[in-house]
């Protein structure tokens, strides 16, 4: 008789964004006339850059002829892309990362989940609260999280580090030993960042404890302030304790195309084993590489023309973020994020619960947000809005919220 992975049975409810989609679909079905504005899931809306499209078209043509046809590619990614990444994302910032430390993939979400394959089930995991649910759920699926406590809304074997307005959204060092620490800066969901000094504290801690930092830098292109590292490897000592995840989703519109990469430095060794070699072993066994066409498109981001086009789109979203921040503040809300991030973390009015405020915005303003409580107990009392929408619709959303609050 076959048995299922019993850890899945312990998972609470559905994945956050599926639950939001379910509630939204139910509302839309009951109110087909509603003009819904989507500010929930962080999904981009602007088309891919023309240089990316041209490169993808040319790559499709390559596949049409036996002289230029590409079958299986290298599981780690094509050198044309890895070299472009190494130059633009690391060398240009003075960061020493080797081409073969870069593993191209179909996105940061998959890598964040898959990385657990090379870690012992006995590791103690530490996450921020609120947190991107993928870190927690994938560890729960692997059996590393213990039991889910409905009342505490947390797992017995996960160490939660509250990041709140009170501590400036900077997690404090754990009071008990932990082995794997997930950090995301700019943070999903709070939109706040860790500065160089704060990251240095974490790097030193991880090196002292022989812990590993899983650093999610998916939103680094939204950083506008000085002194905020774009990569954890800007911090001395990080190569012996950190793995970094990068994504082309939010930076270049690849949420549908799917491409990202993970950096695993050679210097990262635990139990006498190279994490780089283990990840290479995992990828060569379970992954056949991101598609040739998509990697050609991703490489075009690094061309002069592509880089300028991508920057234009990023500016479009950055302006939306500013519009949301200003609009919400004008409506009387306390907000965080937006400055270095496409996410705006907004306190609910009068201590309202975050699912309650989500429902209110959905039903009374027809705006879809993400309830903060869905990211963890410390997210209660907040909703998250994203800047990835259409500029005019973003302005309209702020008008609706202002009108809604004026009528309260
Ligand atoms: C989010 O809205 O948090 C993200 O879009 C989810 C993701 O990147 O998987």
């Amino acid at each position: 008789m076959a048995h299922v992975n019993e850890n899945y049975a312990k998972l609470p409810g559905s994945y956050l964004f599926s639950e939001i989609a379910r509630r939204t679909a139910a509302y839309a079905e009951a109110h087909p006339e509603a003009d819904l504005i989507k500010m929930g899931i962080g999904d981009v809306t602007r088309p891919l850059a023309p240089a990316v499209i041209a490169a993808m078209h040319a790559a499709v043509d390559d596949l049409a002829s036996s002289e230029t046809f590409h079958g299986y590619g290298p599981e780690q990614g094509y050198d044309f892309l890895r070299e472009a990444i190494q130059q633009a994302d690391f060398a240009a910032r003075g960061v020493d990362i080797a081409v073969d430390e870069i593993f191209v993939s179909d996105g940061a979400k998959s890598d964040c989940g898959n990385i657990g394959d090379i870690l012992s089930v006995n590791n103690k995991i530490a996450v921020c609260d609120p947190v991107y649910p993928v870190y927690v759920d994938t560890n729960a699926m692997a059996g590393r999280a213990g039991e889910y406590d409905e009342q505490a809304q947390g797992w017995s074997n996960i160490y939660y580090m509250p990041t709140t307005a009170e501590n400036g959204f900077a997690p404090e060092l754990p009071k008990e030993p932990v082995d794997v620490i997930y950090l995301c800066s700019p943070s999903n969901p709070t939109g706040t960042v860790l500065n160089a000094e704060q990251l240095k504290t974490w790097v030193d801690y991880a090196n002292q404890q022989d812990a590993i930092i899983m650093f999610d830098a998916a939103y680094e292109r939204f950083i506008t302030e000085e002194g905020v590292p774009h990569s954890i490897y800007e911090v001395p000592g990080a190569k012996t304790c950190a793995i970094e995840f990068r994504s082309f989703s939010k930076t270049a519109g690849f949420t549908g195309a799917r491409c990202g990469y993970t950096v695993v430095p050679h210097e990262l060794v635990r139990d006498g084993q190279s994490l780089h070699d283990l990840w290479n072993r995992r990828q060569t066994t379970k992954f056949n590489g991101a598609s040739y066409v998509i990697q050609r498109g991703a490489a075009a981001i690094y061309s002069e023309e592509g880089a300028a086009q991508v920057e234009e789109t990023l500016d479009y979203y950055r302006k939306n973020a500013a519009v949301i921040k200003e609009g919400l503040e004008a409506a009387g809300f306390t907000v965080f994020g937006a400055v270095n991030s496409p996410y705006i973390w907004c306190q609910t009015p009068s201590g309202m619960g975050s699912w309650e405020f989500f429902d209110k915005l959905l039903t009374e303003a027809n705006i879809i947000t993400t309830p903060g409580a869905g990211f963890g107990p410390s997210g209660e009392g907040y909703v998250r809005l994203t800047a990835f929408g259409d500029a005019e619709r973003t302005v309209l959303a702020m008008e609706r919220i202002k009108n809604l609050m004026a009528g309260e």
Side-chain angles (χ1 to χ4, degrees):
M1 179 180 164
H3 298 283
V4 301
N5 179 343
E6 70 280 9
N7 298 311
Y8 278 62
K10 299 181 188 172
L11 291 166
S14 58
Y15 181 61
L16 173 61
F17 294 105
S18 316
E19 175 59 18
I20 291 167
R22 193 191 61 73
R23 287 193 188 210
T24 305
Y27 181 81
E29 200 183 321
H31 303 87
E33 73 296 343
D35 175 25
L36 296 174
I37 302 181
K38 294 181 189 162
M39 305 180 96
I41 190 163
D43 194 4
V44 294
T45 54
R46 305 297 295 160
L48 290 167
V52 170
I53 294 293
M56 286 184 183
H57 280 161
V60 170
D61 287 343
D62 285 349
L63 301 185
S65 127
S66 53
E67 285 77 48
T68 49
F69 177 75
H70 284 72
Y72 289 130
E75 295 92 341
Q76 305 81 357
Y78 285 99
D79 276 348
F80 63 75
L81 177 56
R82 298 168 94 195
E83 282 164 12
I85 291 169
Q86 190 255 347
Q87 277 304 310
D89 291 351
F90 298 102
R93 303 192 68 85
V95 178
D96 174 30
I97 289 293
V99 167
D100 74 345
E101 292 174 320
I102 297 164
F103 293 84
V104 175
S105 73
D106 63 350
K109 178 176 176 175
S110 332
D111 284 0
C112 281
N114 293 335
I115 199 77
D117 277 14
I118 62 169
L119 297 172
S120 161
V121 75
N122 298 319
N123 282 308
K124 177 94 178 183
I125 305 297
V127 296
C128 294
D129 166 27
V131 67
Y132 179 41
V134 172
Y135 313 148
V136 174
D137 287 6
T138 55
N139 276 293
M141 288 169 176
R144 236 176 251 118
E147 303 301 321
Y148 188 72
D149 179 341
E150 201 70 54
Q151 202 160 4
Q153 289 176 53
W155 293 86
S156 60
N157 200 36
I158 287 193
Y159 187 89
Y160 291 91
M161 306 179 290
T163 52
T164 59
E166 286 69 42
N167 63 15
F169 298 98
E172 284 161 27
L173 293 179
K175 295 188 173 55
E176 59 183 80
V178 300
D179 307 304
V180 180
I181 304 140
Y182 287 79
L183 296 177
C184 181
S185 176
S187 156
N188 182 10
T190 64
T192 53
V193 289
L194 296 172
N195 63 31
E197 203 182 315
Q198 289 164 328
L199 275 180
K200 177 80 173 91
T201 306
W202 279 102
V203 165
D204 291 347
Y205 171 85
N207 278 323
Q208 272 158 20
Q209 303 282 321
D210 279 339
I212 297 175
I213 296 173
M214 299 293 176
F215 190 71
D216 186 348
Y219 302 94
E220 61 84 24
R221 288 296 301 275
F222 290 86
I223 295 171
T224 60
E225 289 181 320
E226 293 295 316
V228 181
H230 289 240
S231 164
I232 196 159
Y233 305 115
E234 289 175 41
V235 178
K239 288 180 83 176
T240 50
C241 68
I243 290 174
E244 180 164 304
F245 304 97
R246 293 280 190 108
S247 165
F248 296 119
S249 287
K250 320 297 158 86
T251 57
F254 275 61
T255 51
R258 307 305 310 152
C259 199
Y261 66 90
T262 290
V263 179
V264 191
H266 289 294
E267 289 95 319
L268 181 55
V269 174
R270 294 291 178 270
D271 292 334
Q273 304 228 39
S274 154
L275 275 282
H276 175 279
D277 293 354
L278 294 183
W279 183 241
N280 192 50
R281 184 73 171 85
R282 191 264 172 212
Q283 291 296 81
T284 51
T285 305
K286 291 196 178 182
F287 186 56
N288 265 332
S291 101
Y292 170 70
V293 174
I294 298 299
Q295 290 192 65
R296 278 287 180 204
I301 296 165
Y302 296 101
S303 67
E304 205 179 316
E305 196 192 5
Q309 292 164 350
V310 163
E311 196 56 37
E312 215 173 287
T313 303
L314 286 166
D315 263 340
Y316 181 97
Y317 295 138
R318 290 182 192 121
K319 284 194 188 112
N320 282 349
V323 164
I324 298 169
K325 180 173 155 61
E326 281 158 27
L328 291 174
E329 282 173 348
F333 289 97
T334 302
V335 302
F336 302 92
V339 178
N340 297 301
S341 167
Y343 293 132
I344 296 88
W345 193 236
C346 174
Q347 226 165 46
T348 61
S350 329
M352 195 183 276
S354 54
W355 277 105
E356 196 189 336
F357 192 49
F358 165 87
D359 282 333
K360 185 177 175 66
L361 287 175
L362 176 62
T363 57
E364 296 177 34
N366 291 165
I367 295 169
I368 304 157
T369 57
T370 307
F375 297 102
S378 297
E380 184 51 277
Y382 288 88
V383 292
R384 192 196 72 177
L385 294 91
T386 87
F388 290 121
D390 172 81
E392 278 176 30
R393 307 272 294 159
T394 300
V395 171
L396 177 63
M398 290 309 107
E399 277 166 18
R400 286 191 194 169
I401 291 182
K402 273 184 232 169
N403 291 339
L404 178 68
M405 298 319 290
E408 290 294 299

